[in-house]
Amino acid sequence: MVRVAVVGVNHIGSIHCQAYNHMTEATLVAVCDLDQSLAEAVGAQFGVPAYSQLEVMLACEEIDVVSIATAGFENGSQHFEPAMLAMEAGKDVLVEKPLSNNIEEARQLVAYADQQQVRLACDLNHRFVPSAYQAKEWIQKGDLGQLLFMNMKLTIGNPNESSPWLHMRALHPHSIDVMRYFCGEVKRVQAFMTKAPGRSIWSTASLNFEFVSGAVGHLMGSYDMDNRHPIEYCEVAGSKGRFIIDNVYERTVLYPHGSSELKMFQNALLTGMGHFNDTIKHRLAHFIHQVHEQVEPQDIEGSGRDALAAQEVIEAAIRSHTENGAVIAL
């Protein structure tokens, strides 16, 4: 059993705790939060020791994996210190996205994981779903032929006004990771952003991509939509066909060129994913399985390096917007 401790046990952290508590390959052994009363309440809920200081928990408990769900400015400013402490102690680490809202810190995290030879992963949960696995298999089998273009949309409602770049840094590690998962490394990016009425932040964005492969792509993102409606759309097209994934995990359909017969992968109503939070559980379980199987740090899927690559694209997009839509090479 992989012994897991969760750091930061508010909303997302509690989902982490529930997920680890029900895994066959993991056991939750401790929780930690700067809010001692919150840590104790969650610890009591799951029957594990609670701490308010990470260094004390690392010294007192036998831990294999530290799962970090702290928050902070732009949802990422409190990830760096606990991740570095855990890796210094030789632990494998999974961090909520973004790896850090500060690109220099994100680079340091990846470099330190390499130095320590520990596994560093990120909760890039949108690709850890059966629909994405099926779509990836179609690409690998050659059903799409040479990839030509990709259209991605991720739009939710978020009224937070804390940072001009909150929308890009807090939300789009997900969408850009999905784009990289299917189409590979990004070569160049161009961005245009706007503000909804009454907003002070850049809350809606349109990004153009060129991938190293030669394929091109587009991302439409927004914090100005309605969460009661579908939030995500993904289309990948090639010389032999295309697929569409509806709303993260609901359904994926392959449209082969020259044929009226489609291939469909449908989320099962009773035995499939029932809630968006299941995507987080799938992602965490995948990481635990890779730790259990002793997968080499450089081979971890949804790794810290993947998260960093998405953040590099985000920072390039921000630069493009501030430079009047300039095309920025990565």
Side-chain angles (χ1 to χ4, degrees):
M1 296 284 280
V2 178
R3 296 162 297 191
V4 186
V6 175
V7 179
V9 292
N10 208 340
H11 173 60
I12 297 297
S14 68
I15 296 174
H16 283 220
C17 291
Q18 292 167 20
Y20 294 125
N21 195 50
H22 288 94
M23 288 182 196
T24 58
E25 294 182 320
T27 181
L28 183 68
V29 297
V31 297
C32 180
D33 198 286
L34 291 175
D35 184 337
Q36 180 70 41
S37 61
L38 176 61
E40 290 176 353
V42 174
Q45 178 184 352
F46 292 99
V48 298
Y51 296 86
S52 60
Q53 297 181 52
L54 177 55
E55 300 94 326
V56 175
M57 183 182 73
L58 291 170
C60 293
E61 301 292 337
E62 289 189 30
I63 297 166
D64 301 309
V65 168
V66 176
S67 195
I68 297 172
T70 50
F73 185 65
E74 295 175 334
N75 291 6
S77 64
Q78 296 174 3
H79 295 166
F80 179 75
E81 183 177 352
M84 290 293 282
L85 286 171
M87 289 190 293
E88 183 180 10
K91 311 304 180 184
D92 293 326
V93 174
L94 182 139
V95 182
E96 269 298 326
K97 60 80 200 166
L99 204 57
S100 169
N101 66 312
N102 180 305
I103 193 67
E104 289 300 329
E105 289 185 352
R107 291 168 182 160
Q108 287 182 52
L109 286 170
V110 171
Y112 194 58
D114 288 345
Q115 177 184 321
Q116 293 293 95
Q117 277 296 289
V118 297
R119 300 172 183 88
L120 176 63
C122 188
D123 184 18
L124 300 168
N125 54 302
H126 288 225
R127 66 151 124 152
F128 287 92
V129 293
S131 57
Y133 299 153
Q134 178 61 72
K136 183 75 166 183
E137 182 179 319
W138 286 332
I139 291 175
Q140 293 171 334
K141 286 172 56 182
D143 289 336
L144 271 67
Q146 180 178 330
L147 297 187
L148 299 175
F149 71 81
M150 178 172 188
N151 287 314
M152 186 79 192
K153 180 178 73 173
L154 178 54
T155 60
I156 65 173
N158 187 340
N160 193 312
E161 293 278 301
S162 61
S163 159
W165 312 115
L166 174 71
H167 166 231
M168 290 304 303
R169 289 181 178 147
L171 181 64
H172 291 296
H174 286 310
S175 51
I176 294 170
D177 178 67
V178 171
M179 296 182 80
R180 291 183 65 256
Y181 179 61
F182 291 131
C183 290
E185 298 295 340
V186 177
K187 183 178 180 181
R188 297 192 296 170
V189 65
Q190 179 188 38
F192 303 96
M193 304 182 193
T194 191
K195 302 173 182 178
R199 302 212 67 163
S200 63
I201 74 169
W202 298 106
S203 54
T204 290
S206 174
L207 277 62
N208 296 318
F209 293 83
E210 181 186 15
F211 296 93
V212 171
S213 68
V216 294
H218 181 260
L219 167 64
M220 178 58 68
S222 182
Y223 263 176
D224 302 316
M225 296 297 104
D226 192 314
N227 293 335
R228 290 170 293 188
H229 305 308
I231 66 168
E232 190 170 295
Y233 171 90
C234 174
E235 177 187 29
V236 180
S239 58
K240 294 183 179 179
R242 66 189 177 104
F243 67 72
I244 293 174
I245 301 177
D246 290 325
N247 210 24
V248 188
Y249 62 83
E250 290 181 357
R251 177 178 56 249
T252 183
V253 181
L254 174 66
Y255 298 84
H257 290 179
S259 174
S260 298
E261 293 186 2
L262 312 181
K263 292 183 179 180
M264 180 184 294
F265 184 91
Q266 179 78 42
N267 181 58
L269 180 63
L270 297 180
T271 59
M273 304 182 72
H275 190 277
F276 181 76
N277 287 348
D278 288 346
T279 66
I280 299 175
K281 296 174 183 178
H282 272 236
R283 194 283 166 267
L284 301 185
H286 190 91
F287 179 58
I288 291 300
H289 180 69
Q290 291 198 302
V291 172
H292 185 267
E293 295 300 308
Q294 300 185 0
V295 171
E296 292 296 322
Q298 66 270 19
D299 295 326
I300 291 296
E301 297 175 55
S303 65
R305 192 169 299 278
D306 287 321
L308 173 60
Q311 284 184 243
E312 297 283 8
V313 174
I314 289 168
E315 295 307 312
I318 290 171
R319 179 182 165 193
S320 172
H321 176 71
T322 60
E323 295 181 11
N324 199 31
V327 176
I328 305 298
L330 282 98

